[in-house]
């Protein structure tokens, strides 16, 4: 496929903006552990990050629908710049509250960045939408490398320079996005012709897409949130922890170079199922031991599972609505996904500090089973529709 110029720009912007999310997940629990007044609050900064994602998705979708995606992306980049500057200041001042505010803004930025995948799908023909989705997410491979070298560059204030770097990267992302040509959807004539959301969200395939997307992202966030702190509590060096997160992020995004082709060939449901199986294997690996290799292998499997599960679910969402309904339906989908993640990220830290690593990875398996059962239900619904007269 010849990559559409706008899709290529969105992929590059994703590569730059991906540094924001990677830095927060790689350092949030560790910085939280250093600054928090109580150990159980160590993952609160990451929870605030996810809350920022959740509360920003619907407003971002409304801005995109009313004023265009370009305006929504500009606001997202502004949030990213502020996040980096405030987080760096919080680390220097030793302020836990200020750091939580910074990660809240970072979550708003991440919510907008994740909508790049849907914007890319609007730039291509229907049969190329899965490839466009995955091409944009493939850009996430580059982002972590832009900041990994800065994590210990200012020894008195570990990670402070990393967040300054993430602000600069957000500015570069904004510059790249200026050249994107977004699809223009003719405005509706009035509120009376706006299609209600209820019939859309009641579709079996939307229900399953939403559930599987939520489980895939929730469990990835649930395990990854606590992994750096768990490794530190197990006596594993930060260098090994950072490398584990880098491998995890590469596993999250690298398959995107071909995930779209796999979705096109095998269908969304089979790719989602493969992702759920990989996520289950990540949890089983976590239960098997707490050595460096167990953490690394588990994080890689987790990243691969997220890629297949989340991209497959995103592609399924695109089949549930007309183009003009896209921003509303997509923002509602992401709101539910990120809302569930907010609960999971805080619960992850509490379970880790109170009961240990097994209580983080063990509860993942029942949720994977629930998502698998929903796929089986969707397959049964589709068969009944095909056989009905």
């Amino acid at each position: 496929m010849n990559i559409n110029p706008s899709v290529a720009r969105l992929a590059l912007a994703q590569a730059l903006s991906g540094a924001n999310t990677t830095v927060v997940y790689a350092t949030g629990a560790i910085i939280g552990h250093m600054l928090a007044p109580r150990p159980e609050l160590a993952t609160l900064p990451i929870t605030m990050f996810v809350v920022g994602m959740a509360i920003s998705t619907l407003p971002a979708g409304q801005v995109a629908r009313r004023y265009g995606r370009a305006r929504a992306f500009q606001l997202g980049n502004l949030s990213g710049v502020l996040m980096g500057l405030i987080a760096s200041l919080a680390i220097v001042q030793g302020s836990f509250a200020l750091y939580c505010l910074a990660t809240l803004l970072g979550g708003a930025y991440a919510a907008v960045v994740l909508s790049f995948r849907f914007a890319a799908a609007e730039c291509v023909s229907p049969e190329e939408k899965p490839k466009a989705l995955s091409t944009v997410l493939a850009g996430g491979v580059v982002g972590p490398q832009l900041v990994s070298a800065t994590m210990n560059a200012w020894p008195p204030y570990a990670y402070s320079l990393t967040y300054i770097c993430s602000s600069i990267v957000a500015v570069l992302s904004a510059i790249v996005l200026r050249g994107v040509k977004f699809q223009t959807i003719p405005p509706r004539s009035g509120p009376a012709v706006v299609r209600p959301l209820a019939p859309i969200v009641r579709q079996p395939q939307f229900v399953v897409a939403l559930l599987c997307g939520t489980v895939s992202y929730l469990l990835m966030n649930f395990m990854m949130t606590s992994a750096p702190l768990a490794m530190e509590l197990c006596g594993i060096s930060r260098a090994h922890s950072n490398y584990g997160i880098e491998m995890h992020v590469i596993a999250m995004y690298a398959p995107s170079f071909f995930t779209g082709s796999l979705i096109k060939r095998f269908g969304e449901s089979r790719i989602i199922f493969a992702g759920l199986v990989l996520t289950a294997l990540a949890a089983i690996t976590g239960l098997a031991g707490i050595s460096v290799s167990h953490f690394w292998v588990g994080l890689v499997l987790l990243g691969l599972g997220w890629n297949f599960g989340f991209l497959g679910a995103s592609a399924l969402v695109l089949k549930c609505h007309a183009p003009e309904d896209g921003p509303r339906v997509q923002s509602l989908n992401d709101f539910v996904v990120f809302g569930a993640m907010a609960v999971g990220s805080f619960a992850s830290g509490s379970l880790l500090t109170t009961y240990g690593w097994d209580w983080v990875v063990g509860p993942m398996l029942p949720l994977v089973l629930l998502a698998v059962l929903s796929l089986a239900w969707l397959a049964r619904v589709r068969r009944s529709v095909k056989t009905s007269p």
Side-chain angles (χ1 to χ4, degrees), residues 270-341:
R270 289 179 180 177
I271 299 305
I272 294 170
F273 176 74
L276 293 170
V277 170
L278 288 165
T279 300
L281 290 175
I284 292 170
T285 303
L287 289 169
I290 53 173
S291 68
V292 172
S293 60
H294 282 100
F295 279 109
W296 284 359
V297 171
L299 285 170
V300 169
L301 289 170
L302 185 69
L304 294 172
W306 174 84
N307 183 277
F308 286 2
F310 186 62
L311 268 178
S314 297
L316 194 57
V317 168
L318 291 175
K319 289 188 170 183
C320 299
H321 61 76
E324 60 270 20
D325 294 314
R328 287 191 307 146
V329 177
Q330 294 156 12
S331 60
L332 175 63
N333 174 79
D334 287 354
F335 172 75
V336 174
V337 171
F338 302 148
M341 284 170 57

Side-chain angles (χ1 to χ4, degrees), residues 17-371:
S17 303
N20 168 72
T21 300
T22 303
V23 168
V24 173
Y25 278 118
T27 67
I30 295 173
I31 295 173
H33 189 63
M34 292 189 299
L35 301 180
R38 297 195 304 274
E40 61 268 22
L41 297 178
T43 59
L44 181 60
I46 297 181
T47 300
M48 295 304 294
F49 179 84
V50 180
V51 169
M53 294 173 73
I55 64 177
S56 301
T57 50
L58 294 180
Q62 188 68 15
V63 170
R65 183 167 174 262
R66 239 179 175 184
Y67 305 105
R69 289 199 185 271
R71 184 63 57 85
F73 289 176
Q74 289 168 2
L75 292 174
N77 284 116
L78 176 60
S79 297
V81 172
L82 292 174
M83 187 278 290
L85 297 177
I86 294 173
S88 181
L89 178 63
I91 293 169
V92 172
Q93 292 188 345
S95 173
F96 182 67
L98 196 60
Y99 183 63
C100 288
L101 172 63
T103 58
L104 182 72
L105 289 169
Y109 182 32
V112 173
V113 170
L114 275 173
S115 70
F116 289 4
R117 72 195 196 278
F118 289 127
E122 294 174 356
C123 299
V124 297
S125 60
E127 62 271 14
E128 297 295 340
K129 288 182 185 295
K131 287 187 178 181
L133 280 171
S134 61
T135 298
V136 168
L137 280 189
V141 173
V142 182
Q145 308 310 316
L146 299 175
V147 295
S148 60
T150 67
M151 287 188 173
N152 295 303
W154 192 0
Y157 305 107
Y159 306 116
S160 180
L161 194 59
T162 300
Y163 282 95
I164 293 176
C165 181
S166 72
S167 287
I168 296 172
V169 168
V171 173
L172 294 176
S173 175
I175 294 171
V176 171
L177 287 170
R178 288 179 64 86
V180 177
K181 304 297 182 184
F182 297 99
Q183 180 191 53
T184 302
I185 300 172
R188 304 270 186 124
S189 59
V193 298
V194 175
R195 185 184 178 191
L197 278 176
I200 300 174
V201 301
R202 283 200 298 261
Q203 297 175 83
Q205 65 181 5
F206 181 82
V207 172
V208 172
L210 180 61
L211 176 61
C212 291
T214 300
V215 168
S216 297
Y217 218 135
L218 168 66
L219 297 186
M220 186 279 294
N221 178 75
F222 192 72
M223 184 172 174
M224 185 175 71
T225 295
S226 292
L229 181 57
M231 283 187 270
E232 184 161 286
L233 294 176
C234 290
I236 297 172
S237 70
R238 288 185 182 178
H240 285 96
S241 173
N242 291 339
Y243 185 61
I245 292 297
E246 284 189 23
M247 288 194 297
H248 167 73
V249 173
I250 290 171
M252 285 174 65
Y253 296 113
S256 298
F257 289 108
F258 54 82
T259 306
S261 298
L262 292 176
I263 292 173
K264 190 175 180 180
R265 180 174 180 180
F266 297 107
E268 297 87 0
S269 294
R270 289 179 180 177
I271 299 305
I272 294 170
F273 176 74
L276 293 170
V277 170
L278 288 165
T279 300
L281 290 175
I284 292 170
T285 303
L287 289 169
I290 53 173
S291 68
V292 172
S293 60
H294 282 100
F295 279 109
W296 284 359
V297 171
L299 285 170
V300 169
L301 289 170
L302 185 69
L304 294 172
W306 174 84
N307 183 277
F308 286 2
F310 186 62
L311 268 178
S314 297
L316 194 57
V317 168
L318 291 175
K319 289 188 170 183
C320 299
H321 61 76
E324 60 270 20
D325 294 314
R328 287 191 307 146
V329 177
Q330 294 156 12
S331 60
L332 175 63
N333 174 79
D334 287 354
F335 172 75
V336 174
V337 171
F338 302 148
M341 284 170 57
V343 177
S345 62
F346 187 73
S348 174
S350 298
L351 288 171
L352 175 66
T353 55
T354 305
Y355 300 108
W357 179 242
D358 285 356
W359 279 83
V360 174
V361 291
M364 294 170 60
L365 295 173
L367 289 175
V368 170
L369 178 61
L370 175 63

Side-chain angles (χ1 to χ4, degrees), residues 383-389:
R383 284 195 300 270
S384 65
V385 170
K386 286 182 180 179
T387 57
S388 60

